[in-house]
């Protein structure tokens, strides 16, 4: 087992969102993204098979999708998506998001 205290080891950046690789194996990749209010992870996709989840740990914002689709994103919300489906995040307040990607890319 391995314990990672994300709030202690990974902070925020003022100029761009920050990311921290919390774990990677042949089965899954776990990344913590921290966004200051107003920062965005642009909508994008990956030409691969697999799934990802985006879990809001703290703060509020929006999950973004293709064609301008957006959904509110609050603590405890989990977005589940195919890796090939367009996805992104926009922070309204400072926001922490945990991403799981399986299989890892």
């Amino acid at each position: 087992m391995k314990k990672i205290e994300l709030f202690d080891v990974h902070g925020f950046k003022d100029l761009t969102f920050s990311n921290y690789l919390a774990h990677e194996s042949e089965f899954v990749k776990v990344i913590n993204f921290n966004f200051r209010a107003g920062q965005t992870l642009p909508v994008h996709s990956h030409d691969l098979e697999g799934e990802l989840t985006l879990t809001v740990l703290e703060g509020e914002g929006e999950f973004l999708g293709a064609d301008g689709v957006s959904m509110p994103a609050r603590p405890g919300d989990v977005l589940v998506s195919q890796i090939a489906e367009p996805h992104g995040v926009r922070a309204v307040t400072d926001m922490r998001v945990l991403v799981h990607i399986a299989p890892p890319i």
Side-chain angles (χ1 to χ4, degrees):
M1 291 191 300
K2 171 168 106 174
K3 177 182 174 185
I4 301 165
E5 296 178 354
L6 286 177
F7 289 17
D8 292 337
V9 299
H10 185 226
F12 292 84
K13 294 181 182 176
D14 289 330
L15 299 179
T16 185
F17 65 84
S18 61
N19 62 329
Y20 171 76
L21 179 61
H23 176 75
E24 185 172 24
S25 73
E26 64 183 292
F27 304 107
V28 67
K29 182 185 262 188
V30 181
I31 308 167
N32 172 224
F33 286 88
N34 290 342
F35 302 90
R36 288 279 186 209
Q39 293 178 342
T40 300
L41 175 64
V43 175
H44 65 286
S45 62
H46 307 274
D47 191 20
L48 300 165
E49 289 188 30
E51 291 186 328
L52 61 86
T53 65
L54 289 85
T55 304
V56 179
L57 301 176
E58 181 178 87
E60 294 189 12
E62 298 174 300
F63 295 129
L64 306 175
D67 302 321
V69 170
S70 69
M71 294 176 259
R74 295 181 182 93
D77 287 350
V78 179
L79 179 76
V80 179
S81 173
Q82 295 295 311
I83 293 172
E85 185 176 358
H87 55 277
V89 175
R90 180 181 309 116
V92 174
T93 68
D94 288 357
M95 186 178 184
R96 295 177 187 266
V97 178
L98 193 63
V99 177
H100 291 81
I101 303 170
I105 58 172

